[in-house]
């Protein structure tokens, strides 16, 4: 049976350095996406861009529990997952710009950033493409016996793909250490959840695969952190997979250039009033954990880091023409 879970006492037990790390990572994601949106609008980023702004609490709340030895799979809106998992921001910007210094040497672009050294197995342009990859990573983790975990991030639209059911079923049968994280931002591209899903919560589907399912406030990083901590610890103990649904919201369109005719300005304003980054900042100040000056210093450092990443990436060379066929492969019948 799926349950709803709210934040408990975590904020009062976490140390200051960890809370500030989560704040810094969330802010880095936000500033990265804001700059990417501007650069795309100016015509300086090739291909498509799907921005993660508004959903930062999910990636950070989950990935704070992970190390480089753990795995994650992502989707087309993957910048936040990359940053939260520790992928180099400068290499990410270079990848957006198609430069040789990019995380994938300029050949993947926004929707296919990966860094296996950080356990980031890749963003994915295929809706629902991450489920079988996460199951495979979970099988690897179980075989290795080192307590590794695989986390599969996916959107509400992907919850209706066949791979969702196949991935959860296989992970449950084999008791794989996989945590499935649904980022329910209310829309599958432009189709509202109320139309494309017959159940109220994605987490309700967990019961069909004999695994725990929980729905949390995806705008509250500490609520996500608590739920993810329990699921990840369970996976590390060899007790099998879990499903976490995070109710969240994206500030931008499905893709840059989206006309957004399917939602209202009032709806956006209501969610922005609950902004996850502002909420953390206010809470830290109200509780006397940190001063406004300390937070302002972090804000400045993050902005300088983003600005420097863009300056460096813009100065980096494009891949040489002879590199077109390297780092790619085909399978033959």
């Amino acid at each position: 049976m799926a349950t709803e879970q709210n934040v408990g006492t975590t904020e009062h037990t976490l140390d200051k350095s960890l809370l500030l790390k989560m704040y810094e990572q969330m802010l880095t994601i936000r500033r990265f996406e804001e700059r990417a949106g501007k650069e795309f609008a100016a015509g300086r980023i090739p291909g498509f861009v799907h921005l993660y702004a508004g959903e930062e609490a999910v990636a950070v709340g989950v990935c704070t529990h992970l190390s480089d030895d753990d795995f994650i799979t992502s989707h087309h809106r993957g910048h936040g997952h990359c940053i939260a998992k520790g992928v180099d921001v400068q290499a990410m910007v270079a990848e957006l710009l198609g430069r040789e210094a990019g995380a994938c040497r300029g050949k993947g672009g926004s929707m296919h950033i990966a860094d296996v050294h950080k356990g980031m197995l890749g963003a994915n342009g295929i809706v629902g493409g991450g489920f079988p990859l996460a199951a495979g990573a979970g099988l690897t983790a179980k075989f290795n016996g080192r307590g590794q975990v695989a986390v599969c991030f996916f959107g509400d639209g992907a919850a209706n793909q066949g791979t969702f059911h196949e991935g959860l079923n296989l992970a449950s049968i084999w008791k794989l250490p996989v945590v499935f994280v649904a980022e329910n931002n209310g829309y599958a591209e432009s189709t509202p959840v109320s139309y494309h899903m017959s159940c109220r919560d994605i987490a309700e589907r967990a019961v069909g695969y004999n695994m725990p399912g929980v729905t949390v406030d995806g705008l509250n990083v500490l609520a996500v952190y608590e739920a993810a901590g329990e699921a990840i610890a369970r996976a590390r103990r060899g007790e099998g997979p879990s499903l976490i649904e995070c109710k969240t919201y994206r500030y931008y369109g499905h893709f840059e250039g989206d006309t957004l005719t399917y939602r209202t300005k009032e709806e956006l304003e209501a969610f922005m009033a609950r902004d996850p980054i502002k909420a953390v900042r206010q809470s830290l100040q109200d509780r006397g954990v940190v001063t406004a000056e300390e937070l302002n210093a972090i804000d400045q450092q993050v902005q300088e880091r983003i600005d420097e990443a863009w300056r460096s990436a813009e100065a980096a060379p494009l891949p040489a023409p002879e590199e077109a066929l390297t780092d790619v492969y085909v399978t033959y019948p």
Side-chain angles (χ1 to χ4, degrees):
M1 187 76 177
T3 59
E4 291 190 12
Q5 182 171 318
N6 295 312
V7 66
T9 59
T10 296
E11 184 178 9
H12 302 281
T13 58
L14 293 179
D15 62 52
K16 177 179 176 179
S17 62
L18 186 58
L19 289 167
L20 290 181
K21 176 186 176 183
M22 289 195 284
Y23 173 77
E24 180 181 0
Q25 284 193 321
M26 291 171 67
L27 188 64
T28 300
I29 295 169
R30 178 68 58 85
R31 296 292 177 260
F32 184 97
E33 297 296 63
E34 289 172 344
R35 181 66 181 267
K38 291 177 182 178
E39 297 291 339
F40 182 84
R44 288 190 280 268
I45 297 178
F48 284 101
V49 173
H50 304 75
L51 301 181
Y52 195 71
E55 303 184 31
E56 298 90 351
V58 181
V60 173
V62 173
C63 290
T64 298
H65 293 283
L66 305 178
S67 71
D68 292 351
D69 206 34
D70 296 310
F71 308 104
I72 68 168
T73 64
S74 181
H75 45 72
H76 52 275
R77 201 178 311 282
H79 301 164
H81 306 138
C82 290
I83 292 172
K85 195 61 170 68
V87 179
D88 181 66
V89 171
Q90 185 171 308
M92 289 177 61
V93 175
E95 189 62 34
L96 293 185
L97 296 177
R99 305 306 170 111
E100 200 277 335
C104 298
R105 301 182 67 184
K107 300 176 183 180
S110 172
M111 287 193 286
H112 302 98
I113 297 176
D115 186 345
V116 295
H117 300 293
K118 291 292 182 178
M120 183 4 176
L121 302 184
N124 201 320
I126 300 173
V127 176
F131 298 110
L133 300 178
L139 182 60
T140 297
K142 185 172 183 176
F143 179 81
N144 287 342
R146 299 202 304 265
Q148 296 164 288
V149 171
V151 173
C152 176
F153 291 99
F154 64 98
D156 52 274
N160 299 321
Q161 294 289 89
T163 48
F164 168 88
H165 304 282
E166 294 166 1
L168 269 68
N169 188 55
L170 189 63
S172 183
I173 290 171
W174 288 348
K175 294 190 71 174
L176 301 179
V178 182
V179 178
F180 298 95
V181 180
E183 296 179 308
N184 184 350
N185 60 30
Y187 296 93
E189 190 166 344
S190 60
T191 306
V193 171
S194 59
Y195 182 86
H196 74 66
M197 221 168 53
S198 60
C199 54
R200 189 189 71 167
D201 300 316
I202 295 170
E204 293 176 11
R205 297 180 176 178
V207 68
Y209 301 102
N210 194 32
M211 67 176 69
V214 61
T215 298
V216 301
D217 179 3
L219 300 178
N220 186 327
V221 68
L222 296 176
V224 177
Y225 178 85
E226 283 191 358
E230 293 176 10
I232 290 170
R234 180 175 181 274
R236 293 198 198 280
R237 292 194 300 267
E239 297 175 16
S242 301
L243 172 61
I244 302 172
E245 177 185 15
C246 302
K247 297 290 183 73
T248 184
Y249 198 78
R250 53 174 163 81
Y251 289 172
Y252 294 89
H254 170 68
F255 57 89
E256 286 306 276
D258 186 349
T259 57
L260 287 168
T261 55
Y262 50 88
R263 72 185 197 189
T264 66
K265 178 182 178 182
E266 291 73 23
E267 179 182 285
L268 173 61
E269 290 174 345
F271 277 98
M272 292 186 76
R274 299 174 54 214
D275 184 82
I277 298 174
K278 291 180 180 177
V280 170
R281 183 184 179 99
Q282 191 63 52
S283 177
L284 290 172
Q285 288 183 258
D286 289 347
R287 292 178 43 242
V289 174
V290 65
T291 65
E293 289 73 21
E294 288 177 286
L295 291 171
N296 290 339
I298 292 174
D299 296 354
Q300 182 176 347
Q301 292 167 6
V302 167
Q303 190 60 60
E304 290 174 352
R305 181 184 175 201
I306 296 297
D307 291 343
E308 175 56 31
W310 279 90
R311 281 193 295 269
S312 177
E314 288 171 339
L318 294 167
E322 55 268 25
E323 291 292 311
L325 298 180
T326 60
D327 304 312
V328 297
Y329 66 91
V330 295
T331 57
Y332 293 94

